[in-house]
Amino acid sequence: MYCIEARLLSKSYGNFMAVDNIDLQVPSGKIFGFLGPNGAGKTTTMKLLTTLIPPTGGQMNILGIDAIKSPLEVRKKIGVVLQQPSYEPTLSVEKALDKYGMMWNVEKNIRKDRVEELLVAFDLVDIRKKKNDDLSIGQRRRVQVAREFMHDMELLFLDEPTVGLDPSARRGLLDFIKGKVKDGLTIFFTTHILEEAEYLCDDIAIINKGKIIAVDTPGELKNKFGKEKTIKIHISEQKDISSLLAGIPECTIEHDSGVIITVRSSHSEQVLQDILKILASNDMAVEDLSVVPTSLEEIFLSVVKNSNA
Ligand SMILES: Nc1ncnc2c1ncn2[C@@H]1O[C@H](COP(=O)(O)OP(=O)(O)O)[C@@H](O)[C@H]1O
Ligand SMILES: [Mg+2]
């Protein structure tokens, strides 16, 4: 059963397609990572799915509800934390949490318990009496994310929730989210940080320039690209090495400075032998040579780069 199903979903501004005919299927009870560089269309997609802006094309079904026909019905069942900071300057941290629960008609006793739970979970106990205006950016962000957990929901949308958080708060938030998902919550999580998506998400979609360019589990992404290695060769004399290596099959030349050349390949052993042969037959001395697995970060960058080409 899918929590989110979108088909050919689009949003254009004039003739610019911010979201370009995307298809999405997000299973219930999972964390779905929506990953992409700045300006890729993550926030726009999230605003579409949460019915904050209307699409210019396509269909979407959220929690079994036709979200274009019945946006209000959808909004009652979801939580949304936008990228934009939002807080009440004059309220204390604990009052802000409580008031947010009140807005959602959460019963007083339940609110009281939840405020205590969230103050601890988001490391806000020491600043519970402080006014939001007097908090740091990271503290405000923690309050903003925490308050969303004051109400019950089936599906939560988080737009880059860890931006501005220090590493320990970041890890704390990711682990809190993981716990909530164990209890049955589904999360749609946007980030431009691959590591975060890898740590947290069951499935990852990569978006670039409004188009989805890959959908996979982190494990599958690694399977597909994990065999890929980066070979770095440092030769002693400036030479046009790219043209010498250009004919090697299954070998992508990534960078060539004249003396240092970096290539990527999923058949690194064969490619390495070919390279060494070519270097030897051209009397080129090697200063240094290394072969390292391509990191997921590089995979991400190269998937995005290829989609730009
Ligand atoms: N209201 C708008 N009017 C015109 N262009 C917009 C509007 N909102 C977003 N865009 C453009 O759409 C693209 C995607 O933006 P956004 O969804 O915010 O990207 P991301 O969240 O991935 O950084 C960007 O080029 C942005 O400038
Ligand atoms: Mg954004």
Side-chain angles (χ1 to χ4, degrees), residues 11-305:
K11 181 71 183 179
S12 53
Y13 294 106
N15 49 18
F16 171 73
M17 298 285 272
V19 173
D20 191 354
N21 287 293
I22 64 168
D23 290 339
L24 272 176
Q25 290 185 318
V26 177
S28 299
K30 298 272 173 86
I31 309 181
F32 190 88
F34 204 53
L35 187 68
N38 285 327
K42 301 182 297 294
T43 297
T44 308
T45 303
M46 217 186 86
K47 285 183 176 167
L48 290 172
L49 297 174
T50 54
T51 77
L52 297 175
I53 55 172
T56 42
Q59 287 115 45
M60 50 179 191
N61 197 289
I62 308 294
L63 297 166
I65 303 161
D66 182 331
I68 295 169
K69 273 198 198 129
S70 319
L72 291 180
E73 217 182 305
V74 170
R75 277 198 231 171
K76 276 185 226 154
K77 296 188 167 193
I78 62 174
V80 187
V81 177
L82 293 172
Q83 198 172 3
Q84 216 75 348
S86 139
Y87 63 98
E88 301 216 33
T90 57
L91 283 187
S92 69
V93 169
E94 58 182 10
K95 288 249 169 65
L97 292 178
D98 189 59
K99 189 175 169 199
Y100 200 75
M102 230 153 85
M103 263 174 49
W104 278 92
N105 295 319
V106 178
E107 215 179 283
K108 195 171 179 199
N109 286 335
I110 298 176
R111 286 204 316 264
K112 204 164 163 254
D113 291 347
R114 283 191 187 162
V115 168
E116 294 308 318
E117 181 208 353
L118 292 170
L119 288 173
V120 173
F122 284 80
D123 195 19
L124 300 168
V125 176
D126 293 345
I127 53 166
R128 62 188 296 161
K129 304 273 182 210
K130 267 201 184 178
K131 270 193 295 187
N132 268 301
D133 230 359
D134 300 332
L135 304 182
S136 72
I137 290 172
Q139 288 170 331
R140 275 181 210 157
R141 187 64 174 162
R142 265 148 55 202
V143 175
Q144 187 187 0
V145 178
R147 71 175 189 184
E148 205 57 44
F149 290 94
M150 284 298 295
H151 68 97
D152 293 312
M153 60 206 150
E154 291 171 49
L155 173 60
L156 172 60
F157 291 85
L158 296 169
D159 199 3
E160 309 220 23
T162 59
V163 170
L165 301 192
D166 63 49
S168 102
R170 186 178 286 241
R171 178 54 72 95
L173 172 60
L174 298 183
D175 287 337
F176 181 78
I177 289 174
K178 276 190 170 180
K180 289 289 165 188
V181 171
K182 270 205 189 108
D183 298 339
L185 184 64
T186 306
I187 291 184
F188 185 91
F189 176 91
T190 78
T191 178
H192 62 272
I193 305 163
L194 179 63
E195 237 173 44
E196 252 175 44
E198 196 191 351
Y199 180 70
L200 196 64
C201 302
D202 299 291
D203 297 291
I204 296 175
I206 300 177
I207 183 171
N208 188 42
K209 296 193 168 173
K211 289 199 171 78
I212 290 181
I213 53 177
V215 188
D216 248 319
T217 61
E220 274 300 308
L221 271 176
K222 273 193 172 155
N223 248 339
K224 264 193 197 161
F225 301 99
K227 277 195 296 186
E228 188 164 280
K229 301 239 169 86
T230 300
I231 304 170
K232 196 168 168 185
I233 313 135
H234 187 172
I235 51 173
S236 344
E237 271 175 72
Q238 179 101 13
K239 263 256 162 93
D240 182 14
I241 183 165
S242 287
S243 58
L244 290 172
L245 304 184
I248 300 176
E250 311 280 353
C251 168
T252 312
I253 295 169
E254 198 170 64
H255 182 72
D256 179 5
S257 76
V259 287
I260 295 176
I261 181 159
T262 322
V263 305
R264 284 206 335 260
S265 173
S266 327
H267 299 78
S268 54
E269 282 174 31
Q270 185 55 49
V271 167
L272 188 58
Q273 284 185 25
D274 293 349
I275 291 175
L276 291 175
K277 256 187 236 159
I278 290 171
L279 294 178
S281 63
N282 286 279
D283 274 330
M284 293 160 80
V286 176
E287 293 261 306
D288 193 29
L289 185 106
S290 65
V291 184
V292 291
T294 308
S295 71
L296 265 185
E297 191 73 33
E298 287 170 78
I299 291 167
F300 170 57
L301 291 173
S302 90
V303 172
V304 169
K305 204 165 130 200

